[in-house]
Amino acid sequence: MTFRELNLKDEILSAIEELGYEQPMPVQEKTIPFVLEQSADVVALAQTGTGKTAAFGLPLLNLIDPETEQVQALVLAPTRELCIQITNDLKNYAKYLKGVRIVPVYGGEDIRVQLRQLDHTPQIVVATPGRLIDLLKRGKVNLEHISFLVLDEADEMLNMGFKEDIETILERTPEDRRTMLFSATMPKEIAAIARNYMKDFEEITVGTKNAGAENVEHIYYLCQAKQRYEVLKRIADMNPDIYGIVFCRTRQETKEVAEKLMNDGYNADALHGDLSQAQRDTVMKKFRERHIQLLVATDVAARGLDVSDLTHVINYNLPDDVEVYTHRSGRTGRAGKKGVSVSIIHSKEKFKIKQLERTLKKTFEKRPIPNGLEVCKKQLFHLINRMQQVEVNEEQIAPYIGQIMNQLEYLDKEELLKRFVSLEFNRFLDYYKDAPDLNIPEKTKESREKREGREGRAGGRGKKTGEKVRLKIKLGDQEGITPKRLLGIINDVTGDKSISIGSIEITSKFSFFDVYADQVNQLLTAFSRNSNLQVLEAKGSKSFEERRGERRPFGGDDWGGRRERRDERPARRERHPDFSDKPWRKGRERNYSGARKK
Ligand code: AMP
């Protein structure tokens, strides 16, 4: 489809051709003909960067009457920056439309200037809600004749607390106006506005609802909360050409992170609400012009900052709202470019990742935090690449090159390279030489088994790994021993259940059982102290499991924790003469209880 096919005025077509727009973007293809040909309202789910300004701006300019000096269209936007940007875009599109006046009104600017501009009634007003209310109260703007109302970034306006202002404004507009609502996300509050203030509207979706841009890769690093900053630095060091926003939760955190980055030599600055408008403008300008690589910002402060080719969005802290995450990540991966949304999280935030995955229907990839060596390698090759691409200024160097050649004559190529590389690279090597591993060890199967084994000692069934030793005790079937009773005896003698007992085999005179090698001494000591029963290593015998290979050991789940309690000891114990009075403790009672107190 071409713009010409959209039936726009020639003046508009000339303007967009001059801007280099070759064909309509998807949101424009869907919205423009609908607005021009139908009469219903529009709710469009589209993020910044999808071409939404032209999607509402072009048909709006096509439909207003330049001859009539009345406000015919109102565009509401959440921030000053967005107001200015929309106004500039509209002015560009209206370049050849005679008599069209577009005036932006927003807070944070001397109202008198805006009042003067409004003296000559514009056909289009682009406003932030707060300032517009102010002007409405002063009777300086009349919305009674508007035919079009655009709510741009409606979700942002609600996030910024403009709900009541928007409703007040809507009530000052004629009922037969046409409304176009643009929003990156569709929370229920937006749906409510659409329901309450819009007539049978057409829903236009570009991309997936509530989903971030398609070409954004979502990754996360898991670390200890106190290591966030270190991880951030590694991310920055692993991506020497990074151009991104680091999102923090609070102004204070924003300031701290930015200051630390600057002190550590990074090309960074902060954007937060404590800055004056002039300071904000300066920082944003520097960032837009890429004099700053990492902009540390709060969500509120970053609103209205329209930078299209961010390589990374970094969530220094994950937001509580999925929508906030969508907005953040939607700032990268624009205009067909690839983008990365990185989250630095600690273990307790893993559920948030799961939540995001479910809502956005995207997979978040866990990446290992790069170690010092990887960072150094990355930096080294970045240096080499820069060296390959550097523009050599022959003319300027010419007067010195002879002397330099003489001075370095004794160095061969390899030595020369080593020195040259070291000059730049040593500081990285120094910094990273003892850099710790910032990864939190995952709960691997093995560590899980260890943990469960520990829990098993408290009474549950558990598993432990390691070499096993087969022990024997001179108590057998003759004495009425069963596996359960044997466990009871071991429990009583050792006085704690931390010793895992494996496969048990009972013969007429002896009972054999497996114990982990590192617990054998503990068990033998307990028996020698607390009982007359002798426990010996079953000489020459491999552990039971080794002998029987794959056979499932006793109890189904080989290393069962011993769960038998004293009061559950089977009645058959009387068959062993010694059982009547815990004979295995005879003469050891004091020792036994002493050991337990420890
Ligand atoms: P927006 O989503 O309105 O902020 O637009 C994103 C960017 O795309 C702006 O820089 C527009 O100038 C540009 N743009 C809008 N429509 C087109 C188009 N049809 N072709 C090329 N660029 C466009």
Side-chain angles (χ1 to χ4, degrees):
M1 190 178 259
T2 63
F3 276 110
R4 197 157 286 281
E5 289 171 81
L6 296 176
N7 291 328
L8 292 161
K9 288 182 179 170
D10 284 344
E11 291 91 333
I12 297 177
L13 290 174
S14 307
I16 52 182
E17 198 180 325
E18 240 174 63
L19 289 169
Y21 295 7
E22 284 168 6
Q23 63 186 73
M25 290 165 89
V27 68
Q28 295 160 359
E29 228 175 78
K30 288 184 182 172
T31 313
I32 297 172
F34 184 83
V35 178
L36 291 180
E37 288 153 27
Q38 316 270 327
S39 59
D41 289 345
V42 172
V43 171
L45 275 160
Q47 301 197 335
T48 304
T50 52
K52 65 187 169 59
T53 315
F56 66 75
L58 299 181
L60 196 147
L61 287 167
N62 210 79
L63 291 168
I64 57 154
D65 176 7
E67 311 273 293
T68 309
E69 287 199 3
Q70 271 176 345
V71 180
Q72 298 169 42
L74 169 69
V75 180
L76 283 180
T79 62
R80 167 189 188 271
E81 289 76 15
L82 192 56
C83 263
I84 295 172
Q85 196 195 315
I86 293 170
T87 307
N88 289 341
D89 286 354
L90 294 182
K91 282 184 176 170
N92 284 334
Y93 305 147
K95 188 175 171 191
Y96 297 111
L97 286 172
K98 291 249 162 4
V100 173
R101 293 195 73 242
I102 306 156
V103 170
V105 293
Y106 45 81
E109 187 97 332
D110 191 345
I111 198 163
R112 286 170 301 184
V113 178
Q114 294 174 2
L115 288 172
R116 269 201 302 279
Q117 287 187 311
L118 289 167
D119 277 346
H120 186 180
T121 309
Q123 290 89 0
I124 303 173
V125 171
V126 184
T128 52
R131 178 54 63 94
L132 182 63
I133 297 261
D134 199 348
L135 292 166
L136 285 171
K137 280 186 192 155
R138 291 170 187 240
K140 291 294 175 187
V141 180
N142 180 357
L143 299 178
E144 282 166 20
H145 305 289
I146 67 160
S147 313
F148 300 98
L149 172 69
V150 178
L151 300 170
D152 195 14
E153 301 206 354
D155 50 353
E156 282 293 289
M157 288 200 277
L158 292 193
N159 284 340
M160 291 173 77
F162 285 137
K163 185 167 179 283
E164 281 175 15
D165 285 351
I166 292 172
E167 286 172 349
T168 309
I169 293 165
L170 282 165
E171 272 146 27
R172 303 280 288 263
T173 61
E175 277 206 7
D176 61 355
R177 60 158 204 269
R178 286 185 75 187
T179 309
M180 290 181 253
L181 183 153
F182 287 78
S183 189
T185 58
M186 187 49 70
K188 54 182 185 306
E189 295 84 357
I190 299 279
I193 288 200
R195 233 184 3 258
N196 298 335
Y197 294 94
M198 295 173 74
K199 304 172 290 275
D200 57 339
F201 56 84
E202 173 82 358
E203 201 173 314
I204 291 172
T205 306
V206 187
T208 327
K209 269 189 200 178
N210 288 345
E214 280 313 308
N215 34 359
V216 177
E217 197 181 0
H218 301 266
I219 64 173
Y220 69 96
Y221 293 102
L222 183 68
C223 67
Q224 288 179 0
K226 60 175 191 267
Q227 302 281 20
R228 270 184 214 284
Y229 178 67
E230 289 303 315
V231 176
L232 174 63
K233 283 202 297 187
R234 294 217 184 155
I235 296 168
D237 288 341
M238 275 305 273
N239 296 280
D241 291 322
I242 196 166
Y243 178 51
I245 303 182
V246 181
F247 283 100
C248 293
R249 267 176 192 273
T250 61
R251 291 172 191 191
Q252 192 53 34
E253 190 177 56
T254 305
K255 284 184 211 171
E256 281 168 16
V257 172
E259 259 162 43
K260 279 202 242 174
L261 284 172
M262 287 187 272
N263 285 339
D264 287 340
Y266 292 85
N267 202 356
D269 212 334
L271 189 68
H272 51 76
D274 286 349
L275 301 178
S276 68
Q277 190 60 53
Q279 286 171 316
R280 281 167 53 96
D281 287 347
T282 309
V283 174
M284 288 203 232
K285 185 164 181 282
K286 281 203 278 180
F287 187 55
R288 273 196 212 99
E289 291 170 357
R290 293 185 172 240
H291 297 308
I292 296 169
Q293 272 187 281
L294 285 172
L295 184 70
V296 191
T298 55
D299 290 291
V300 176
R303 279 174 191 148
L305 171 70
D306 187 53
V307 179
S308 52
D309 41 6
L310 295 182
T311 60
H312 289 72
V313 158
I314 300 178
N315 298 283
Y316 192 72
N317 271 299
L318 270 180
D320 293 326
D321 257 354
V322 174
E323 273 148 35
V324 177
Y325 181 87
T326 309
H327 270 285
R328 288 181 180 182
S329 59
R331 289 178 160 279
T332 184
R334 286 185 183 176
K337 290 194 178 135
K338 286 231 171 302
V340 189
S341 174
V342 185
S343 303
I344 306 174
I345 66 157
H346 61 89
S347 352
K348 286 192 184 140
E349 291 174 313
K350 272 201 209 158
F351 79 96
K352 286 191 181 175
I353 297 284
K354 292 254 152 26
Q355 215 172 23
L356 286 170
E357 285 187 320
R358 268 197 308 273
T359 318
L360 303 180
K361 300 199 168 45
K362 304 252 173 194
T363 308
F364 281 56
E365 191 196 330
K366 178 175 179 267
R367 292 262 175 91
I369 301 162
N371 61 34
L373 206 70
E374 286 164 319
V375 173
C376 288
K377 187 173 164 196
K378 187 80 192 184
Q379 288 290 337
L380 176 60
F381 285 96
H382 179 62
L383 178 68
I384 302 298
N385 286 343
R386 271 174 51 214
M387 192 268 287
Q388 280 181 301
Q389 285 161 16
V390 74
E391 201 181 310
V392 176
N393 196 328
E394 302 279 359
E395 220 175 294
Q396 305 276 313
I397 294 175
Y400 316 107
I401 198 74
Q403 193 183 339
I404 296 171
M405 291 282 276
N406 276 344
Q407 198 172 329
L408 302 180
E409 198 183 23
Y410 70 102
L411 296 171
D412 62 19
K413 185 176 173 185
E414 190 182 330
E415 188 64 23
L416 199 63
L417 279 177
K418 278 194 222 160
R419 284 168 188 248
F420 155 75
V421 163
S422 304
L423 202 60
E424 182 78 17
F425 192 51
N426 279 358
R427 75 190 163 95
F428 266 100
L429 285 176
D430 275 351
Y431 183 80
Y432 276 112
K433 76 175 179 294
D434 299 318
D437 180 3
L438 299 177
N439 290 290
I440 300 180
E442 261 293 6
K443 285 187 180 103
T444 56
K445 189 162 171 265
E446 193 176 324
S447 66
R448 210 164 33 240
E449 282 173 0
K450 266 191 194 156
R451 192 164 41 94
E452 282 165 6
R454 240 181 284 129
E455 282 159 12
R457 288 167 207 161
R461 212 170 251 291
K463 281 194 168 192
K464 198 174 179 296
T465 52
E467 206 189 318
K468 294 147 202 169
V469 175
R470 192 140 185 87
L471 300 177
K472 69 172 182 182
I473 187 166
K474 198 176 174 305
L475 278 176
D477 203 24
Q478 282 179 356
E479 283 84 25
I481 278 293
T482 62
K484 202 174 175 186
R485 297 183 69 189
L486 178 69
L487 289 174
I489 293 168
I490 297 171
N491 274 348
D492 281 346
V493 174
T494 58
D496 89 53
K497 294 181 180 176
S498 71
I499 301 166
S500 297
I501 302 298
S503 307
I504 294 174
E505 190 184 29
I506 293 172
T507 64
S508 60
K509 291 186 179 164
F510 290 95
S511 298
F512 297 86
F513 54 96
D514 285 351
V515 178
Y516 285 111
D518 60 358
Q519 294 185 319
V520 168
N521 277 347
Q522 199 184 336
L523 186 134
L524 294 179
T525 309
F527 268 89
S528 73
R529 276 195 188 154
N530 305 329
S531 97
N532 294 332
L533 290 168
Q534 212 182 15
V535 180
L536 298 166
E537 197 172 333
K539 286 246 166 62
S541 81
K542 287 183 174 176
S543 96
F544 187 64
E545 279 171 79
E546 285 168 38
R547 279 188 287 120
R548 69 177 183 178
E550 292 304 307
R551 231 171 91 199
R552 265 175 84 74
F554 160 71
D557 207 353
D558 41 357
W559 288 84
R562 285 168 284 127
R563 291 184 295 175
E564 185 183 342
R565 294 204 312 264
R566 271 187 197 188
D567 54 358
E568 288 172 351
R569 263 181 261 137
R572 274 176 72 197
R573 81 169 66 127
E574 285 86 55
R575 284 174 56 187
H576 188 287
D578 281 337
F579 280 170
S580 51
D581 192 22
K582 298 190 183 73
W584 56 90
R585 284 201 211 146
K586 262 182 199 160
R588 308 271 178 183
E589 202 65 38
R590 217 175 299 139
N591 276 351
Y592 180 66
S593 44
R596 276 179 71 94
K597 269 191 198 130
K598 265 184 210 162

